Every structure is written in structure tokens, then in C-alpha cells.
């Protein structure tokens, strides 16, 4: 479990923007976004399906098969834990060069990678910092880990893509079970 603040807000109380991520490898991820100017949302990936919930509306749930329907959302939930030898990392950090020094971020040893221009319209060179032991993202150009818990409390609901009682799927999302 990693709790992030927007860059430049480590001392702000309370942080104006936060992202909380709980993962069990790359196959199970729960992502809660609270970022100014963006609707608060929760993404839950159970290894097969992706449930996206915009917390501003009761009929704001969307359910997607993992293989399609919302590749950018699936990429978002899978980009918090990276293997520097893997394809996801290569796409996020073009021309990665490992930095010689390691630093401490949120009490963890972080390995830095200098990245060339990312595969996006706006951007440029940047640095990603990953936890040396787990590969969890600790810092990038937008977020910085403020707390890491290697043994979070997890129950059956943490990675469940079942709709809560009374919740409705958004009419704009794909039908359940697709």
C-alpha cells in the first residue's frame, strides 16, 4: 500500500491531491484518486475485470473486461508497480538509464531511472524512482510517496469488482460480463 501526494505538497496539511494504491503484484490493484480538477474516482482491477467508479454519481460504475474496453484505465492501474526489464516500464520510460545513486523516499530505498521523452504529446525528460525491493513507484513528475505499508489489511472487498448493493452501472459503460 502506498499513499501519494502531488509533487511539491509533502508539507501541505491536508494534501490537496492524493492517490492511494493497494496492490498484490500487478494482477490485483485498488487505486483511489483524489486530485483537484479531476472527479474523485476508484479503480479496482481483480486480474480479470476493471471496475471504475466516479464517486460523484450513484450510477457512475463502469465494468470492463481486462483485455479491452478501457486500455488507458488498465494502464493506469498497472503502472504503479514496474519491472525495469518489462515492456510497461519500457513504454513509460523510453531510453531508461539507471542512476548511480539511490535515495530514501518514504522510508524506502529508491532506485532512479532517467527517462527520455515519454510517448505523449507534452512532456520531456524526467526521472522515475522505484522501490528497490518491490518495484513500486515512489516518485515521478507528478506524485511522491508519503507512506509505504508492505503489509496492508486486505479483505475480500479490497479487490472485488462486484457492484455494491444498490449501485448501478453507467449506461455509457459496456454491459457487465463482457
Amino acid at each position: 500500500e502506498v499513499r501519494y501526494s502531488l509533487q511539491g505538497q509533502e508539507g501541505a496539511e491536508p494534501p490537496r491531491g492524493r492517490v492511494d494504491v493497494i496492490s498484490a503484484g500487478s494482477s490485483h490493484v485498488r487505486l483511489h484518486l483524489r486530485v483537484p480538477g479531476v472527479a474523485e474516482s476508484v479503480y479496482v482491477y481483480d486480474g480479470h475485470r476493471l471496475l471504475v467508479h466516479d464517486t460523484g454519481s450513484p450510477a457512475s460504475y463502469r465494468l470492463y473486461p481486462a483485455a479491452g474496453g478501457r486500455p488507458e484505465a488498465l494502464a493506469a492501474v498497472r503502472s504503479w508497480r514496474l519491472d525495469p526489464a518489462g515492456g510497461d516500464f519500457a513504454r513509460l520510460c523510453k531510453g531508461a538509464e539507471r542512476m548511480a545513486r539511490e535515495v530514501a523516499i518514504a522510508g524506502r530505498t529508491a532506485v532512479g531511472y532517467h527517462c527520455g521523452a515519454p510517448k505523449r504529446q507534452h512532456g520531456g525528460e524526467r526521472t522515475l524512482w522505484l522501490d528497490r525491493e518491490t518495484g513500486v513507484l515512489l516518485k515521478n513528475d507528478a506524485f511522491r510517496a508519503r507512506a509505504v505499508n508492505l503489509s496492508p489489511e486486505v479483505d475480500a472487498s479490497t479487490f472485488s469488482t462486484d457492484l455494491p448493493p444498490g449501485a448501478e452501472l453507467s449506461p455509457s459503460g459496456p454491459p457487465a460480463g463482457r
Side-chain angles (χ1 to χ4, degrees):
E1 174 180 39
V2 183
R3 298 185 183 277
Y4 298 89
S5 294
L6 290 175
Q7 277 289 79
Q9 295 184 343
E10 294 88 38
E13 289 296 328
R16 292 188 322 255
R18 297 190 304 215
V19 176
D20 297 328
V21 179
I22 298 176
S23 68
S26 297
S27 63
H28 291 77
V29 180
R30 180 181 193 88
L31 172 68
H32 188 165
L33 295 162
R34 290 168 294 228
V35 180
V38 177
E40 181 175 349
S41 55
V42 177
Y43 295 70
V44 179
Y45 178 54
D46 68 3
H48 303 288
R49 302 185 309 170
L50 175 66
L51 180 66
V52 179
H53 174 52
D54 170 0
T55 61
S57 169
S60 59
Y61 286 88
R62 291 189 173 96
L63 188 61
Y64 301 94
R70 185 110 190 244
E72 72 282 358
L74 187 56
V77 299
R78 297 185 78 192
S79 65
W80 299 93
R81 179 177 238 142
L82 297 165
D83 175 1
D88 287 339
F89 182 81
R91 281 186 291 284
L92 285 171
C93 189
K94 297 276 184 202
E97 293 180 27
R98 184 176 170 155
M99 299 174 71
R101 67 183 176 102
E102 295 179 346
V103 300
I105 299 173
R108 305 289 298 168
T109 301
V111 177
Y113 295 87
H114 181 74
C115 308
K119 190 178 180 180
R120 59 183 174 168
Q121 201 173 25
H122 55 290
E125 295 185 357
R126 61 195 174 115
T127 303
L128 297 177
W129 293 91
L130 304 180
D131 182 88
R132 182 179 62 194
E133 181 183 333
T134 65
V136 168
L137 177 70
L138 294 176
K139 182 179 174 187
N140 66 13
D141 56 342
F143 302 101
R144 179 184 179 96
R146 55 187 167 81
V148 177
N149 177 1
L150 295 180
S151 300
E153 289 187 31
V154 175
D155 61 27
S157 69
T158 303
F159 304 114
S160 174
T161 56
D162 294 334
L163 289 177
E168 300 174 26
L169 283 176
S170 170
S172 62
R178 269 188 67 201

